[in-house]
Amino acid sequence: MRRIALDHVVAGPMLRRWPLLGLPDAWLSGSMLAQAWWNRCFDLPPLHGMDDADIIYFDPEDLSEAGEARAAAHAAELFADLPIRLDVKNQARVHLWYPDRFGIPISPYLSARAATETFPTTVSAVAISDAHLSAPFGLDDFLAPCVRGNATLIDRAFYQRKSQRWAALWPDLTILPWEDAVGPLADK
């Protein structure tokens, strides 16, 4: 997994500069890592289908929007030469805005890694830093490559929208039906 990330035209330079980011409990996460692998598996250009690079971190000492904006501005400056949009989020403050955006309250996360356990798919729950790898659902789906829903916070409709987009961009990708999702909402 580390080799996959380090060989990628965006993830590699990001991870080599990671210590300069200086954010607590910081990870490169989300579907970009899976998409880098899919592009390699399906012989597609390295940035094919990628919307953004998710940088998550956990700073319970600063739950302000301004603090998150400062972190995002620093990351944008540090990675300005890379051809991808960044999405920088303090996972310690997600519970403050999640109900307004998605209509359901959530409990505060206890770490950035804990936040990844609620990401929409098992492959988007993979996260990496300069020194660590986190894959709360393992790497089998990631390496297969196979998409499986994580029904901890999302429902069937959300999963279907996401998987339809991915199927259009990566037609050889195995996308499991909602019934194969993990998590407490899988039967809905």
Side-chain angles (χ1 to χ4, degrees):
M1 172 62 205
R2 181 160 299 285
R3 179 59 31 214
I4 293 167
L6 287 172
D7 286 347
H8 189 261
V9 298
V10 170
M14 289 180 80
L15 291 174
R16 285 188 279 282
R17 297 179 213 163
W18 205 253
L20 301 174
L21 191 57
L23 295 173
D25 191 16
W27 300 82
L28 179 60
S29 72
S31 53
M32 187 198 88
L33 296 170
Q35 293 164 0
W37 177 239
W38 301 342
N39 288 341
R40 188 169 160 183
C41 288
F42 303 131
D43 199 28
L44 295 166
L47 297 176
H48 172 81
M50 290 185 186
D51 282 338
D52 59 21
D54 293 314
I55 297 173
I56 63 170
Y57 69 100
F58 190 81
D59 184 359
E61 302 302 315
D62 186 353
L63 300 181
S64 70
E65 286 182 48
E68 190 173 85
R70 282 190 301 276
H74 175 62
E77 182 180 316
L78 183 61
F79 304 125
D81 61 316
L82 300 178
I84 198 159
R85 182 177 62 83
L86 301 177
D87 187 11
V88 180
K89 295 280 187 283
N90 180 1
Q91 300 302 296
R93 66 181 305 276
V94 170
H95 68 284
L96 300 174
W97 55 260
Y98 197 91
D100 289 337
R101 184 163 176 202
F102 294 105
I104 58 172
I106 63 169
S107 298
Y109 293 126
L110 301 177
S111 68
R113 185 189 177 287
T116 66
E117 295 172 8
T118 69
F119 284 10
T121 64
T122 57
V123 296
S124 62
V126 174
I128 194 167
S129 71
D130 60 329
H132 301 287
L133 170 69
S134 174
F137 300 102
L139 290 173
D140 290 347
D141 288 347
F142 184 95
L143 294 171
C146 170
V147 174
R148 179 186 316 271
N150 175 12
T152 300
L153 292 179
I154 66 164
D155 61 12
R156 178 189 302 265
F158 185 96
Y159 178 69
Q160 287 175 333
R161 283 191 306 275
K162 181 172 280 297
S163 60
Q164 285 172 352
R165 177 186 177 273
W166 287 352
L169 289 164
W170 295 278
D172 295 326
L173 183 62
T174 300
I175 298 178
L176 298 177
W178 177 251
E179 291 75 21
D180 290 337
V182 298
L185 301 176
D187 58 350
K188 297 189 182 204

